[in-house]
Every structure is written in C-alpha cells, then in structure tokens.
Amino acid sequence: MISAISKHMLSKSFSKINFTFKPIDWFDQNVGDSRFGLYIHVPFCKIFCSFCPFYKVLYNERLKRKYLEAVKREIEKRGLMGKASWLYIGGGTPNLLKAEEICEILSCLKEFVEVDEVGMEGNPFEFTPEYLEKIGDAGVTKISVGVETFHSDSLKAVKRAKASKHLIEKVVGEAQRLGISVNVDLMVGLPQQTLEGCLKDAKTIVDIGPDQVTIYPYLIISGVEAEPGMDSQSMFTVIESAWNIFREHGYRRDSVWVFSKSHKIYDSAKDELVCDYFGLGPAAFSTCGNIQTVNPPLEIYLQMINDDKRLAFHTELDGKAKVWRAFAHELYKLQLDPKVCSEMPLNIKMVLQFLRMTGYVEGFTVTDKGRYLVHEITKTVVETLPFPLSNPKRIENYDEYVENLKKFSALNV
C-alpha cells in the first residue's frame, strides 16, 4: 500500500516535466560554482541492445570523426571553469572510440576544468590491456563494465553479446593492476532469467572480485523493446539474495542496488542527483539550479556546433519534483543524511516520520523491511525521468523539432 502510494506521488510529480526545443546560450548558469559534475555522452553502438533506453546511433567512422571535432568545440564554447567533483563518460559504447581519442577529449577538457574522478563505461571486449593503460595515464580512475548476465539465452533475447568469465577476469585484473577501480553491471528481470541463474551470475562475479557490483532491475522506460522476464517483487528478491552472497565475500552495501569494496564508487545515477552537472555531446543532460537542458540528437548537434548556435530541449524543474527527487536520493543510499533531512520541507519530514512509525526507517537508516519500498521508489524515479528524445510527448513544440531534425539530417547525410 505504502509502496503504491509513493510510486503514484513520484510519477505524478515527474509527469509534469515537459521540454521546449529552442536556441539557448552556450554558457550555463552556475558554471564555476564550488560543486558540479560533468557528463560526456558517446552515442555509438555496433548493435542496439533491446533493454537499453539511452540515446544511441549505429557506429560509423565518418560520423565518429565529426563527433570528435564537435564535442571538443562544444567544450571550448560552454564556458566551463573551476574544479569538477566528477566526470562520467557514458553512452552508447564509449570505448568504441580509440583510447587516443578518449585521451584527446580529456586533454581538451582539462584546459578548462580540473577533474577529481573520471569514470568511463564500456564494452568488455574493447577494454584491452593497452587501452586500459592509455586511459589510465590520461586520468581515468574507474570503469564500469556491462556484463548483465552470463546466461546465453537471456542475452540473445536482448541482442547482447556474451562476455565470458575469462574475459571479465582479464579486464578486472588488468584494470586493478593499473590502479583503476572496476564496477561490473548485472541485470535482473531479463527474458528467461531465473532466481537460480541470477544467483549463479552473482557467485561468478564475486569469484572474479571486481571492486564494485551494481545490480539493476529491468527498467520499463520509453525506448526499451524487450519485455521483462519477472515482476518487480521477484527482481527485488533476487537482489536481496545476491546481497547475502556479496556480504559473505566482503562487499558492503552502498545503496539499494550498489555493492562495493572500494571507496571509488561508480554510481553516476547517484552523483547526478546530488549536484548540478554539465552534459556534453548529443543527447547529454545538464542540470543547473532549476533549469534542465538536453542536447539534441547527433544530426542537429553536429550542425549547431558548425553554425555556432546552441539548440537544446529546455525545461524549468518544478520545485516539488526536485524535493521529491532529493528525498528519493536519500532513501536510495539506505542511510539518510540528518543535515539534508533537517532542511527538507515539512511535508517530507512528515513522510519520513510516517516511515519511522511504520518500521521502514529507523532513525536515519532504512530497515530490512524498508528496502523493498526504496527499490520500488528508485525504480519509479528512473522509469519516469523525462527523456525527450525517446518520448515525443515530453516535447511541447514537437512539430518544430521534427522540422529541424529533417533539415539537419539532410545536411549531414
């Protein structure tokens, strides 16, 4: 009952967020503030996995070269300065770029900002020893490798190539030798997955020994094609059972879905909820105060850089949505920050008190009983996030956007 009410309130709050596609300034507000993050989107993939909701385009050498020049020019135009708390390079498949090309982007970025931590996700097949050494020398401190499962039939069902245990061992071992922290992503709820099969995956991963394991439930987001293989309650049961395995092998629980031995936590979803961040590359999100922008798809992105005229999906976030999202973030960590909670508005404090009275939270700690609620809340937050590129209903002037897309697509053929 409480879970259903919470999901309804969050869904209602986020459903009001719509975007307008329009010209905006290159300089974002709050650039240079004391705490901010950076995100670079590399959209290229060689095959489209049917569980992935994120913006991607088929790998093309000519488009890749255009992208590289464009993203470096965007870095120069955005007026970035100061010290970034974190940088994530996501996709797509970022390591379809050569290691030298990743180094080139980082070198360009570091002309304008300092960066504490650099995380990069990628396909395990592309993370060769030589590749890892080069990106490590360029400042990458942590990587995330998408395994999802070792179950062949589930991977075939979602068009995902299977990585062997031997390959993952090799990538993890080489990265750790170089001082690069490694997260491995697993997913539960894929077609044809079972509880037993998922736990076998968990045991295989702890035998390999990455610094961190993230287990995602299958998320129903606009743009996802495949149907989930189990319901949300069953996914949660798998995650809780896997937690018992991880705990026995020295992992701690850093959030509802993240288990780690390292202090270099790879959790872009959490970091993007904590502070303002600036997105670079096609389809990249930026959040600055109450303003959220999303860069356009690659066709328009390349042309806007060439024309020196920034175009983006733009919205002003509702204050209530921001507060609920901040509270959801506190719950996601399973350990709430007393200072943050003390600054929440009265209605959120009342919700927190109710969760304490009903046994979901004790003090500032989410209880065993409360973890299912947090699982459902976090899943709802992610599933209801506004992705304008995959959900036209989020774009108020959709027809105008489509006209721009047609015009710029023709120019970039």
PDB file of all heavy atoms in Angstrom, residues 6 15 110 138 156 160 164 243 257 263 266 279 292 300 353 367 378 386:
ATOM      1  N   SER A   6       3.519   5.836  -2.782  1.00  0.00           N
ATOM      2  CA  SER A   6       4.776   6.541  -3.055  1.00  0.00           C
ATOM      3  C   SER A   6       5.050   6.603  -4.551  1.00  0.00           C
ATOM      4  O   SER A   6       5.441   7.656  -5.082  1.00  0.00           O
ATOM      5  CB  SER A   6       5.941   5.839  -2.339  1.00  0.00           C
ATOM      6  OG  SER A   6       5.733   5.801  -0.950  1.00  0.00           O
ATOM      7  N   SER A  15       5.648  13.522 -14.100  1.00  0.00           N
ATOM      8  CA  SER A  15       4.889  13.538 -15.355  1.00  0.00           C
ATOM      9  C   SER A  15       4.619  14.958 -15.842  1.00  0.00           C
ATOM     10  O   SER A  15       4.256  15.165 -16.995  1.00  0.00           O
ATOM     11  CB  SER A  15       3.565  12.788 -15.189  1.00  0.00           C
ATOM     12  OG  SER A  15       2.708  13.486 -14.297  1.00  0.00           O
ATOM     13  N   LYS A 110      40.538  19.316 -19.866  1.00  0.00           N
ATOM     14  CA  LYS A 110      41.395  19.748 -18.759  1.00  0.00           C
ATOM     15  C   LYS A 110      42.055  21.096 -19.010  1.00  0.00           C
ATOM     16  O   LYS A 110      42.681  21.664 -18.117  1.00  0.00           O
ATOM     17  CB  LYS A 110      42.446  18.676 -18.469  1.00  0.00           C
ATOM     18  CG  LYS A 110      41.829  17.440 -17.803  1.00  0.00           C
ATOM     19  CD  LYS A 110      42.835  16.327 -17.613  1.00  0.00           C
ATOM     20  CE  LYS A 110      42.186  15.101 -16.993  1.00  0.00           C
ATOM     21  NZ  LYS A 110      43.140  13.972 -16.837  1.00  0.00           N
ATOM     22  N   ALA A 138      45.714   8.862 -18.853  1.00  0.00           N
ATOM     23  CA  ALA A 138      45.019  10.124 -19.151  1.00  0.00           C
ATOM     24  C   ALA A 138      44.147  10.595 -17.998  1.00  0.00           C
ATOM     25  O   ALA A 138      43.570  11.679 -18.071  1.00  0.00           O
ATOM     26  CB  ALA A 138      44.165   9.959 -20.404  1.00  0.00           C
ATOM     27  N   LYS A 156      20.771 -13.434 -25.814  1.00  0.00           N
ATOM     28  CA  LYS A 156      20.267 -13.490 -27.194  1.00  0.00           C
ATOM     29  C   LYS A 156      18.939 -12.778 -27.314  1.00  0.00           C
ATOM     30  O   LYS A 156      18.663 -12.098 -28.303  1.00  0.00           O
ATOM     31  CB  LYS A 156      20.112 -14.954 -27.629  1.00  0.00           C
ATOM     32  CG  LYS A 156      21.414 -15.643 -27.997  1.00  0.00           C
ATOM     33  CD  LYS A 156      21.150 -17.080 -28.408  1.00  0.00           C
ATOM     34  CE  LYS A 156      22.460 -17.820 -28.669  1.00  0.00           C
ATOM     35  NZ  LYS A 156      22.212 -19.260 -28.982  1.00  0.00           N
ATOM     36  N   ARG A 160      22.347  -8.961 -26.988  1.00  0.00           N
ATOM     37  CA  ARG A 160      23.568  -8.581 -26.278  1.00  0.00           C
ATOM     38  C   ARG A 160      24.615  -9.669 -26.445  1.00  0.00           C
ATOM     39  O   ARG A 160      24.323 -10.863 -26.272  1.00  0.00           O
ATOM     40  CB  ARG A 160      23.255  -8.403 -24.787  1.00  0.00           C
ATOM     41  CG  ARG A 160      24.446  -8.035 -23.913  1.00  0.00           C
ATOM     42  CD  ARG A 160      24.760  -6.585 -23.980  1.00  0.00           C
ATOM     43  NE  ARG A 160      25.763  -6.178 -23.021  1.00  0.00           N
ATOM     44  CZ  ARG A 160      26.176  -4.945 -22.854  1.00  0.00           C
ATOM     45  NH1 ARG A 160      25.666  -3.975 -23.591  1.00  0.00           N
ATOM     46  NH2 ARG A 160      27.101  -4.642 -21.970  1.00  0.00           N
ATOM     47  N   SER A 164      32.651 -13.805 -21.662  1.00  0.00           N
ATOM     48  CA  SER A 164      32.992 -14.982 -20.862  1.00  0.00           C
ATOM     49  C   SER A 164      33.564 -14.575 -19.510  1.00  0.00           C
ATOM     50  O   SER A 164      34.034 -13.442 -19.323  1.00  0.00           O
ATOM     51  CB  SER A 164      34.026 -15.828 -21.605  1.00  0.00           C
ATOM     52  OG  SER A 164      35.263 -15.129 -21.688  1.00  0.00           O
ATOM     53  N   TRP A 243      22.678 -10.046  -2.336  1.00  0.00           N
ATOM     54  CA  TRP A 243      23.322  -9.289  -1.270  1.00  0.00           C
ATOM     55  C   TRP A 243      23.927 -10.233  -0.233  1.00  0.00           C
ATOM     56  O   TRP A 243      25.035 -10.004   0.267  1.00  0.00           O
ATOM     57  CB  TRP A 243      22.320  -8.332  -0.654  1.00  0.00           C
ATOM     58  CG  TRP A 243      22.650  -7.729   0.683  1.00  0.00           C
ATOM     59  CD1 TRP A 243      21.805  -7.608   1.741  1.00  0.00           C
ATOM     60  CD2 TRP A 243      23.886  -7.124   1.108  1.00  0.00           C
ATOM     61  NE1 TRP A 243      22.431  -6.980   2.794  1.00  0.00           N
ATOM     62  CE2 TRP A 243      23.719  -6.669   2.436  1.00  0.00           C
ATOM     63  CE3 TRP A 243      25.120  -6.938   0.498  1.00  0.00           C
ATOM     64  CZ2 TRP A 243      24.732  -6.047   3.150  1.00  0.00           C
ATOM     65  CZ3 TRP A 243      26.137  -6.307   1.212  1.00  0.00           C
ATOM     66  CH2 TRP A 243      25.937  -5.871   2.526  1.00  0.00           C
ATOM     67  N   TRP A 257      21.047  -0.760  -4.805  1.00  0.00           N
ATOM     68  CA  TRP A 257      21.486  -1.623  -5.910  1.00  0.00           C
ATOM     69  C   TRP A 257      23.006  -1.722  -6.058  1.00  0.00           C
ATOM     70  O   TRP A 257      23.486  -2.416  -6.948  1.00  0.00           O
ATOM     71  CB  TRP A 257      20.913  -1.103  -7.241  1.00  0.00           C
ATOM     72  CG  TRP A 257      19.411  -1.120  -7.325  1.00  0.00           C
ATOM     73  CD1 TRP A 257      18.544  -1.920  -6.621  1.00  0.00           C
ATOM     74  CD2 TRP A 257      18.583  -0.299  -8.166  1.00  0.00           C
ATOM     75  NE1 TRP A 257      17.246  -1.654  -6.969  1.00  0.00           N
ATOM     76  CE2 TRP A 257      17.228  -0.664  -7.915  1.00  0.00           C
ATOM     77  CE3 TRP A 257      18.853   0.681  -9.106  1.00  0.00           C
ATOM     78  CZ2 TRP A 257      16.155  -0.053  -8.579  1.00  0.00           C
ATOM     79  CZ3 TRP A 257      17.779   1.293  -9.767  1.00  0.00           C
ATOM     80  CH2 TRP A 257      16.449   0.923  -9.498  1.00  0.00           C
ATOM     81  N   HIS A 263      36.346   2.650  -2.285  1.00  0.00           N
ATOM     82  CA  HIS A 263      35.817   3.970  -1.958  1.00  0.00           C
ATOM     83  C   HIS A 263      35.633   4.808  -3.222  1.00  0.00           C
ATOM     84  O   HIS A 263      35.086   5.898  -3.168  1.00  0.00           O
ATOM     85  CB  HIS A 263      36.745   4.682  -0.971  1.00  0.00           C
ATOM     86  CG  HIS A 263      36.773   4.011   0.371  1.00  0.00           C
ATOM     87  ND1 HIS A 263      35.701   4.018   1.232  1.00  0.00           N
ATOM     88  CD2 HIS A 263      37.737   3.277   0.977  1.00  0.00           C
ATOM     89  CE1 HIS A 263      35.993   3.319   2.326  1.00  0.00           C
ATOM     90  NE2 HIS A 263      37.233   2.866   2.193  1.00  0.00           N
ATOM     91  N   TYR A 266      31.385   3.896  -8.342  1.00  0.00           N
ATOM     92  CA  TYR A 266      30.907   4.230  -9.687  1.00  0.00           C
ATOM     93  C   TYR A 266      29.386   4.208  -9.632  1.00  0.00           C
ATOM     94  O   TYR A 266      28.762   3.149  -9.668  1.00  0.00           O
ATOM     95  CB  TYR A 266      31.409   3.217 -10.719  1.00  0.00           C
ATOM     96  CG  TYR A 266      31.286   3.701 -12.151  1.00  0.00           C
ATOM     97  CD1 TYR A 266      32.426   3.995 -12.892  1.00  0.00           C
ATOM     98  CD2 TYR A 266      30.046   3.897 -12.757  1.00  0.00           C
ATOM     99  CE1 TYR A 266      32.327   4.463 -14.199  1.00  0.00           C
ATOM    100  CE2 TYR A 266      29.937   4.362 -14.051  1.00  0.00           C
ATOM    101  CZ  TYR A 266      31.079   4.637 -14.770  1.00  0.00           C
ATOM    102  OH  TYR A 266      30.972   5.110 -16.064  1.00  0.00           O
ATOM    103  N   GLY A 279      26.321  18.524 -19.218  1.00  0.00           N
ATOM    104  CA  GLY A 279      26.427  17.435 -20.177  1.00  0.00           C
ATOM    105  C   GLY A 279      26.974  17.900 -21.505  1.00  0.00           C
ATOM    106  O   GLY A 279      26.601  18.972 -22.008  1.00  0.00           O
ATOM    107  N   GLN A 292      16.857  22.529 -16.524  1.00  0.00           N
ATOM    108  CA  GLN A 292      17.391  21.289 -17.101  1.00  0.00           C
ATOM    109  C   GLN A 292      17.360  21.412 -18.617  1.00  0.00           C
ATOM    110  O   GLN A 292      16.370  21.850 -19.203  1.00  0.00           O
ATOM    111  CB  GLN A 292      16.577  20.081 -16.666  1.00  0.00           C
ATOM    112  CG  GLN A 292      17.204  18.754 -17.096  1.00  0.00           C
ATOM    113  CD  GLN A 292      16.530  17.558 -16.427  1.00  0.00           C
ATOM    114  OE1 GLN A 292      15.413  17.200 -16.769  1.00  0.00           O
ATOM    115  NE2 GLN A 292      17.206  16.956 -15.459  1.00  0.00           N
ATOM    116  N   ILE A 300      21.380  17.140 -35.464  1.00  0.00           N
ATOM    117  CA  ILE A 300      21.230  18.556 -35.114  1.00  0.00           C
ATOM    118  C   ILE A 300      22.455  19.028 -34.331  1.00  0.00           C
ATOM    119  O   ILE A 300      22.926  20.161 -34.512  1.00  0.00           O
ATOM    120  CB  ILE A 300      19.948  18.776 -34.292  1.00  0.00           C
ATOM    121  CG1 ILE A 300      18.716  18.390 -35.113  1.00  0.00           C
ATOM    122  CG2 ILE A 300      19.844  20.231 -33.827  1.00  0.00           C
ATOM    123  CD1 ILE A 300      17.401  18.513 -34.358  1.00  0.00           C
ATOM    124  N   GLN A 353       8.709  10.789   9.066  1.00  0.00           N
ATOM    125  CA  GLN A 353       8.216  10.362  10.373  1.00  0.00           C
ATOM    126  C   GLN A 353       7.248   9.186  10.242  1.00  0.00           C
ATOM    127  O   GLN A 353       7.272   8.239  11.049  1.00  0.00           O
ATOM    128  CB  GLN A 353       7.532  11.533  11.079  1.00  0.00           C
ATOM    129  CG  GLN A 353       7.128  11.258  12.521  1.00  0.00           C
ATOM    130  CD  GLN A 353       8.296  10.858  13.408  1.00  0.00           C
ATOM    131  OE1 GLN A 353       9.443  11.277  13.202  1.00  0.00           O
ATOM    132  NE2 GLN A 353       8.039  10.018  14.411  1.00  0.00           N
ATOM    133  N   THR A 367      15.410   0.254   7.047  1.00  0.00           N
ATOM    134  CA  THR A 367      15.407  -1.088   7.635  1.00  0.00           C
ATOM    135  C   THR A 367      15.312  -2.152   6.544  1.00  0.00           C
ATOM    136  O   THR A 367      15.088  -1.846   5.361  1.00  0.00           O
ATOM    137  CB  THR A 367      14.202  -1.252   8.578  1.00  0.00           C
ATOM    138  OG1 THR A 367      12.990  -1.104   7.806  1.00  0.00           O
ATOM    139  CG2 THR A 367      14.228  -0.215   9.685  1.00  0.00           C
ATOM    140  N   THR A 378      13.005   3.944  -6.195  1.00  0.00           N
ATOM    141  CA  THR A 378      14.132   4.219  -7.104  1.00  0.00           C
ATOM    142  C   THR A 378      13.783   3.801  -8.524  1.00  0.00           C
ATOM    143  O   THR A 378      14.072   4.516  -9.493  1.00  0.00           O
ATOM    144  CB  THR A 378      15.398   3.471  -6.634  1.00  0.00           C
ATOM    145  OG1 THR A 378      15.661   3.801  -5.272  1.00  0.00           O
ATOM    146  CG2 THR A 378      16.594   3.859  -7.480  1.00  0.00           C
ATOM    147  N   PRO A 386      12.131  12.242 -17.489  1.00  0.00           N
ATOM    148  CA  PRO A 386      11.734  12.694 -18.829  1.00  0.00           C
ATOM    149  C   PRO A 386      12.882  12.568 -19.833  1.00  0.00           C
ATOM    150  O   PRO A 386      13.882  13.267 -19.745  1.00  0.00           O
ATOM    151  CB  PRO A 386      11.366  14.165 -18.604  1.00  0.00           C
ATOM    152  CG  PRO A 386      12.191  14.580 -17.426  1.00  0.00           C
ATOM    153  CD  PRO A 386      12.352  13.359 -16.555  1.00  0.00           C
TER     154      PRO A 386
END
